[in-house]
Amino acid sequence: QKEVEQDPGPLSVPEGAIVSLNCTYSNSAFQYFMWYRQYSRKGPELLMYTYSSGNKEDGRFTAQVDKSSKYISLFIRDSQPSDSATYLCAMTDQAGTALIFGKGTTLSVSS
Amino acid sequence: DTEVTQTPKHLVMGMTNKKSLKCEQHMGHRAMYWYKQKAKKPPELMFVYSYEKLSINESVPSRFSPECPNSSLLNLHLHALQPEDSALYLCASSQGRDGEKLFFGSGTQLSVL
């Protein structure tokens, strides 16, 4: 079993839809959870950052962490064509220096 | 300013060439990273510099040689690369040793002929 599992998609939705992206993980030591957005041939951009369990909201984006289930989610409300990108989850434990990435989910939002 | 600047953006090199990738950040971050990313794959960690000292080398072949001249600069020297080394090379930085929030540059798209 890999440390971080993420469905690569692709996921296609119409403009205005609510998008749900998620990752599962196996290492209970993970404390820091991130979502990165990556456009084609560009570097990943930090979108959301969460420490431990709970929810975090930033505009149209909501990140949720459920440590008891080892499950994290990213919700995008009112999706826009500009949200079309690959979304990578990433996580690390308290003492580590290396982020463990999921494979990334490719999202396409059509107008 | 949350910018990590990488140059060049694109690089084509032959297998006998020597080239260098450059990375710069002015956020006062003390940890800097090199990642390699193949198409449709997540980034793979290559090297970590923490406080200007190499702290992690993920068994990267010696044809890749990192250098950290100061806390703002990171180089990756390339020599005798193979076509399979063609990839997007990403530089990143974070505040300290425990690299939670990584800020990535736009990357250098490298093609080895």
Side-chain angles (χ1 to χ4, degrees):
Chain A
Q1 182 186 10
K2 295 185 178 176
E3 277 200 288
V4 178
E5 300 273 7
Q6 183 178 10
D7 186 341
L11 180 61
S12 296
V13 301
E15 184 175 357
I18 296 174
V19 176
S20 172
L21 306 169
N22 52 72
C23 290
T24 58
Y25 62 95
S26 56
N27 187 346
S28 58
F30 287 149
Q31 296 278 351
Y32 302 92
F33 303 92
M34 284 137 278
W35 286 95
Y36 285 86
R37 177 175 63 194
Q38 186 172 24
Y39 294 111
S40 180
R41 296 180 175 267
K42 297 290 186 183
E45 172 193 8
L46 181 61
L47 206 55
M48 300 291 283
Y49 168 84
T50 309
Y51 170 69
S52 194
S53 284
N55 294 357
K56 186 169 185 179
E57 187 174 323
D58 184 0
R60 296 185 295 109
F61 299 90
T62 300
Q64 289 186 350
V65 175
D66 181 350
K67 290 191 71 182
S68 63
S69 301
K70 298 191 181 70
Y71 187 91
I72 70 171
S73 300
L74 177 70
F75 297 96
I76 307 174
R77 290 184 299 280
D78 186 25
S79 56
Q80 303 294 310
S82 58
D83 295 328
S84 299
T86 296
Y87 291 81
L88 294 150
C89 65
M91 51 199 77
T92 187
D93 62 20
Q94 194 162 8
T97 59
L99 285 183
I100 307 299
F101 284 91
K103 286 187 174 182
T105 300
T106 300
L107 171 67
S108 177
V109 181
S110 56
S111 56
Chain B
D1 181 10
T2 57
E3 193 168 316
V4 177
T5 304
Q6 287 188 245
T7 55
K9 293 192 183 305
H10 303 276
L11 179 63
V12 179
M13 60 186 290
M15 289 190 284
T16 58
N17 292 159
K18 286 185 181 181
K19 297 287 185 182
S20 296
L21 309 184
K22 297 184 183 303
C23 175
E24 190 169 2
Q25 58 88 14
H26 295 287
M27 294 179 277
H29 288 175
R30 303 313 301 265
M32 296 186 76
Y33 309 73
W34 280 115
Y35 280 82
K36 173 183 176 180
Q37 187 177 27
K38 294 282 228 181
K40 300 189 185 300
K41 299 286 187 183
E44 297 176 16
L45 182 64
M46 299 176 72
F47 302 103
V48 181
Y49 273 85
S50 181
Y51 294 83
E52 301 166 47
K53 294 192 187 309
L54 184 64
S55 60
I56 292 180
N57 176 342
E58 292 286 348
S59 302
V60 178
S62 60
R63 57 186 184 268
F64 296 92
S65 176
E67 178 195 19
C68 188
N70 60 55
S71 60
S72 299
L73 295 174
L74 186 66
N75 299 322
L76 185 63
H77 303 298
L78 314 173
H79 175 53
L81 294 193
Q82 303 297 310
E84 60 264 29
D85 296 322
S86 299
L88 181 67
Y89 287 83
L90 295 162
C91 174
S93 69
S94 67
Q95 280 192 322
R97 183 181 300 276
D98 295 328
E100 310 96 44
K101 290 186 187 179
L102 258 64
F103 294 90
F104 284 88
S106 290
T108 295
Q109 188 67 52
L110 173 68
S111 296
V112 181
L113 304 180

